[in-house]
Amino acid sequence: MILFHANQDIGIILEKSAPESVKMAARDLQENLRAISGQEGAFAILETEAGERGIFVEITGQGEAESYRVTVEENRVMIEGADALGAVYGIYAFATRCLKIPPIYRLTDLFPAQTEALSLEETSFESASRPVRFRGWFLNDEDLLSDYKISGGKRYINYPFYQNVVDVGVMDMVLETALRLEINLVIPASFMDVDNPDEEKLIDLAVRRGLYVSQHHIEPMGVSYFAAEHYMQTRGHENEAVSFISNRARMEEIWRYYAKKWQKYGNQVIWQLGLRGKGDQAVWVSDPTVPVSMADRGGIITDAIQTQYDIVKDTLGTEEFYSTATLWNEGSQLYGEGYLKMPESTIPVFSDFGVDQMFGEDFFTTNREADRKYGIYYHAGFIDLGPHLSEGCDPRKMAYCYKAAAEQNNLYYSILNISNVRPLHISAIMNAKIMEDPLHMDVDAAMLAMDRALFGEAGEEVNGLRRSYYDALADFGEKPVQRLCQAWHFYFHDYGELPFVRDTANDGWLNRFGWHALSGRDYEGKPLAEKEMVPALRESEAKWAALCEKMEEAEKKIPADKLAYFRQFLKFQALYMHMLTKWNIACMALVDKRLPRKERKAQGQEGIASLERILKERVVLEEGKWANWHRGERKLNMLARLEQTKEKLAELEK
């Protein structure tokens, strides 16, 4: 089939009644075809069935939910979806498989070279059965997304972060990428407040795109502690407590108000139920009226969940809705010990421990009810002690955990904490791939296939570098994880020998550890660092140095049209981790009074140079449309770490 040539294009034909989500996907395809062909204004979208030639998109109403079939014939392309999402996925599958457009191109600028003509062989392919019903992304700690474009509006929140709303255009890039990877659910931001029109635009966009929407586990019913505060302040109740115990009637009023706000999105809402405190803390941290015993605490949260469920039921006038309760932190302990109960249709969502991206003991020992659906919350990104600005979750580990979830019949629902998405897009790709067949996925083969598709003849060498990247992450052993599990009310599970490193020194770990070393704070793991972590870091630093040298050599073999991508998301990330590791080692030496002053001073200067190198080199991620990409980088905050290191060195020089 001749799709187009210099004097001929092709129309995209939709049903007149096509949903907005399908129309938006068709416009994306139109833009793709215009970009590949160089034909501006071509590839009209027509709402008619006239003619034999064209790209026809049809919703058949037959087959499994979200399924599709794509058929390329002599004169036309047929994209048939069982439903709206099936049609959307079919459109994007055609773009990926026939036009060779990488699903993550909008976040990475990977796009096929322009060509005057394109012919397609006759073919047919269809979607496979999906074992995971809800496949979601959670844009959490989204500091880069929020400030990349300062045009999304302001938030109603008394908090040092999350002041800006993600720009709608930026969010659209993320949502389109999610759909191209056949994701069907999104939590668009942390502390989402549907009562703020600027924030509601993001929810509205996700729903128009055809996605299900949900809420962060710290904002059950869409109500975070800060949203409740704002509600009270704007209605003359600013002196009242945000408390389900001492101010129950007001909390129920707020939940009802927000239920009505979310009601407009109908069955595309997956309601989050629960009770948590200010920020991402247990409710008893911010509410002193909560009892001390775990049994009483579980009873209160059980009561809150049932109350919320009843409010949703009353608001919608039906019990035909989806709801979840995420077992993060204290929820893990309360549910595991039987103190926390929930309605029969509510999906309990087991969480990994974000520090090591592994499940706790409760995941393996909690009895599952035969007729209940279960899900998981998994951290590809995790601020503070996990990946944030570079890949840090080994895909082998992710595949291991998803297989364990599938074996437990615990994978009806999956939500992936993916932070700012762009720095962690390999995790996003691998997560989508793993969910195709979590019981049998060969993730090494999947990564190799991805690298071959991206880099052609250089694919195998790049794949070797990628493997070396994950192997270079320092191994901190299990002791820090055990200590943190105990401190955070999270179960620790002893896995024994694993085919990958359990607790790796990703960038969140390194940032937090260096910060604590410079500030002199007592921290779980600090005593361990001097005896065991420093050698692990030194071994890791040597691996990073060797990998960076290999990157320089490999760069010469990368195809020209993939060179920018290689430099941004492989070469730079290795350099970033190398410099961050060197800075960590330098911080520990700088504050070590047992060392000679001269050596401490030299190490301080080395640490400063390492951070300055990161800040200098990361401009590779700020080219073209990505100018100001790091403007909102306040979570790990490289600039603050640099100033802190300089101040510590200045103290030594006094």
Side-chain angles (χ1 to χ4, degrees):
M1 174 188 182
I2 299 175
L3 192 64
F4 63 81
H5 56 67
N7 300 312
Q8 185 182 44
D9 66 349
I10 194 168
I12 302 170
I13 296 91
L14 304 180
E15 298 171 323
K16 292 181 180 180
S17 59
E20 178 65 11
S21 59
V22 177
K23 292 177 180 177
M24 294 175 80
R27 287 195 289 270
D28 294 334
L29 177 59
Q30 180 187 57
E31 290 180 10
N32 291 165
L33 289 166
R34 288 174 175 176
I36 290 174
S37 66
Q39 298 184 35
E40 295 183 9
F43 308 100
I45 296 176
L46 308 170
E47 294 184 349
T48 175
E49 296 183 4
E52 290 295 321
R53 177 174 161 77
I55 300 174
F56 293 83
V57 181
E58 179 183 351
I59 298 175
T60 66
Q62 299 176 354
E64 291 185 9
E66 303 177 12
S67 64
Y68 60 82
R69 174 186 288 274
V70 177
T71 306
V72 179
E73 300 175 349
E74 183 178 356
N75 288 309
R76 66 179 185 170
V77 176
M78 289 295 301
I79 300 174
E80 300 169 292
D83 50 22
L85 262 180
V88 168
Y89 292 152
I91 290 169
Y92 291 135
F94 171 74
T96 299
R97 296 183 61 168
C98 297
L99 305 183
K100 307 303 181 186
I101 298 172
I104 39 84
Y105 90 93
R106 290 207 67 185
L107 301 179
T108 60
D109 299 329
L110 284 172
F111 199 79
Q114 194 173 104
T115 181
E116 290 186 357
L118 181 61
S119 296
L120 303 178
E121 293 185 3
E122 294 186 24
T123 187
S124 180
F125 57 88
E126 60 186 27
S127 56
S129 181
R130 298 183 183 87
V132 185
R133 174 66 182 90
F134 292 111
R135 309 171 301 281
W137 283 2
F138 174 23
L139 312 185
N140 184 217
D141 296 306
E142 66 284 9
D143 52 348
L144 303 189
L145 289 175
S146 294
D147 287 15
Y148 165 46
K149 302 284 186 183
I150 308 294
S151 48
K154 292 292 182 180
R155 288 178 159 181
Y156 312 144
I157 187 169
N158 181 23
Y159 200 58
F161 307 107
Y162 312 110
Q163 295 302 305
N164 295 311
V165 180
V166 177
D167 176 84
V168 171
V170 174
M171 181 60 66
D172 194 54
M173 289 196 298
V174 173
L175 299 182
E176 182 185 332
T177 303
L179 287 164
R180 286 177 183 265
L181 289 169
E182 300 192 7
I183 297 302
N184 65 0
L185 163 68
V186 66
I187 301 174
S190 309
F191 301 107
M192 176 68 65
D193 188 347
V194 72
D195 205 29
N196 180 349
D198 290 327
E199 293 177 70
E200 187 176 16
K201 289 177 184 176
L202 305 184
I203 303 169
D204 181 72
L205 175 63
V207 170
R208 286 192 293 114
R209 276 283 191 180
L211 290 156
Y212 291 91
V213 288
S214 191
Q215 304 118 353
H216 188 183
H217 55 262
I218 63 175
E219 50 195 59
M221 300 291 287
V223 183
S224 68
Y225 187 98
F226 304 106
E229 275 188 327
H230 182 261
Y231 178 95
M232 293 181 187
Q233 289 167 359
T234 55
R235 291 163 176 79
H237 311 304
E238 60 271 14
N239 295 322
E240 295 184 11
V242 179
S243 172
F244 179 62
I245 298 174
S246 64
N247 200 11
R248 178 171 182 148
R250 187 70 68 200
M251 290 305 300
E252 290 187 19
E253 172 191 321
I254 296 171
W255 290 338
R256 287 192 187 93
Y257 175 83
Y258 273 84
K260 290 178 181 177
K261 298 285 286 189
W262 281 87
Q263 180 185 13
K264 66 184 287 187
Y265 301 112
N267 61 8
Q268 284 179 253
V269 178
I270 299 178
W271 299 84
Q272 180 72 236
L273 309 180
L275 188 67
R276 302 210 74 219
K278 193 172 186 178
D280 197 358
Q281 297 178 317
V283 64
W284 51 83
V285 175
S286 52
D287 188 349
T289 64
V290 177
V292 174
S293 80
M294 294 303 284
D296 288 340
R297 289 171 172 178
I300 289 167
I301 298 174
T302 295
D303 186 9
I305 287 175
Q306 186 62 55
T307 301
Q308 293 163 356
Y309 182 91
D310 291 340
I311 288 172
V312 175
K313 180 182 67 174
D314 293 343
T315 302
L316 301 181
T318 179
E319 288 192 72
E320 296 298 317
F321 61 88
Y322 291 106
S323 62
T324 61
T326 304
L327 306 176
W328 168 244
N329 257 24
E330 70 283 356
S332 163
Q333 183 175 359
L334 291 168
Y335 193 73
E337 295 181 8
Y339 299 131
L340 178 60
K341 308 293 183 183
M342 56 191 71
E344 290 182 2
S345 63
T346 297
I347 303 167
V349 180
F350 289 83
S351 175
D352 68 321
F353 190 41
V355 174
D356 65 346
Q357 299 99 49
M358 300 291 286
F359 294 121
E361 185 70 19
D362 62 309
F363 180 82
F364 298 97
T365 59
T366 302
N367 291 327
R368 307 307 201 268
E369 300 170 43
D371 297 329
R372 189 186 287 275
K373 306 295 186 183
Y374 294 89
I376 63 170
Y377 170 32
Y378 195 80
H379 290 85
F382 184 66
I383 189 62
D384 203 7
L385 293 173
H388 189 65
L389 297 178
S390 69
E391 298 287 356
C393 177
D394 191 326
R396 294 170 294 185
K397 183 188 296 185
M398 186 189 296
Y400 181 96
C401 290
Y402 271 72
K403 182 178 181 181
E407 289 172 341
Q408 292 270 22
N409 196 26
N410 208 128
L411 210 47
Y412 185 76
Y413 171 103
S414 164
I415 194 80
L416 182 73
N417 187 319
I418 197 61
S419 186
N420 293 291
V421 189
R422 190 174 176 230
L424 305 179
H425 69 267
I426 295 298
S427 289
I429 293 170
M430 287 298 104
N431 179 258
K433 194 70 181 173
I434 289 165
M435 286 193 292
E436 292 177 7
D437 187 5
L439 280 173
H440 308 103
M441 178 56 59
D442 184 341
V443 73
D444 289 326
M447 282 199 294
L448 179 58
M450 175 189 70
D451 285 327
R452 282 174 172 164
L454 285 174
F455 296 100
E457 293 182 1
E460 288 197 31
E461 184 169 357
V462 169
N463 186 255
L465 297 175
R466 197 182 302 282
R467 290 170 183 266
S468 296
Y469 176 94
Y470 293 108
D471 291 339
L473 293 162
D475 182 358
F476 279 171
E478 291 187 343
K479 290 183 181 179
V481 177
Q482 288 176 307
R483 293 179 180 183
L484 287 168
C485 282
Q486 185 177 13
W488 292 8
H489 303 286
F490 206 95
Y491 285 109
F492 176 82
H493 178 70
D494 185 359
Y495 284 87
E497 188 174 347
L498 291 166
F500 46 77
V501 174
R502 174 170 183 168
D503 186 22
T504 50
N506 47 56
D507 65 331
W509 244 123
L510 294 173
N511 182 283
R512 170 61 68 144
F513 202 78
W515 170 37
H516 276 271
L518 292 175
S519 60
R521 295 180 61 177
D522 188 17
Y523 175 64
E524 300 97 345
K526 183 179 177 184
L528 186 67
E530 297 176 1
K531 298 178 182 178
E532 299 176 28
M533 287 190 178
V534 171
L537 287 171
R538 290 194 182 281
E539 180 182 351
S540 174
E541 193 274 329
K543 291 179 180 178
W544 287 123
L547 179 57
C548 287
E549 287 185 12
K550 291 179 181 178
M551 291 281 185
E552 290 287 347
E553 288 300 312
E555 186 175 352
K556 302 171 186 176
K557 306 171 189 176
I558 302 299
D561 62 336
K562 303 298 193 301
L563 195 53
Y565 176 81
F566 177 85
R567 289 169 175 166
Q568 292 169 330
F569 299 108
L570 277 163
K571 186 180 177 184
F572 170 73
Q573 288 203 359
L575 173 73
Y576 167 67
M577 292 302 299
H578 183 204
M579 293 299 106
L580 207 57
T581 303
K582 289 184 70 173
W583 170 73
N584 231 263
I585 295 169
C587 288
M588 293 178 208
L590 177 58
V591 300
D592 191 344
K593 296 180 181 179
R594 298 169 299 180
L595 297 177
R597 180 182 292 266
K598 183 177 180 181
E599 183 176 344
R600 293 172 64 191
K601 181 178 177 180
Q603 285 292 319
Q605 292 169 340
E606 181 75 21
I608 289 169
S610 297
L611 291 182
E612 288 178 337
R613 180 86 184 276
I614 290 172
L615 293 169
K616 176 185 176 183
E617 298 291 346
R618 76 180 187 182
V619 296
V620 72
L621 289 164
E622 301 168 358
E623 297 173 351
K625 71 179 184 182
W626 299 106
N628 299 316
W629 172 245
H630 290 105
R631 174 164 50 192
E633 201 270 289
R634 298 189 190 89
K635 284 289 186 174
L636 297 189
N637 207 334
M638 294 293 106
L639 284 170
R641 298 292 84 80
L642 176 60
E643 291 307 309
Q644 186 184 20
T645 311
K646 287 180 176 179
E647 290 171 5
K648 200 67 181 179
L649 180 60
E651 291 177 13
L652 183 63
E653 293 177 332
K654 288 181 181 178

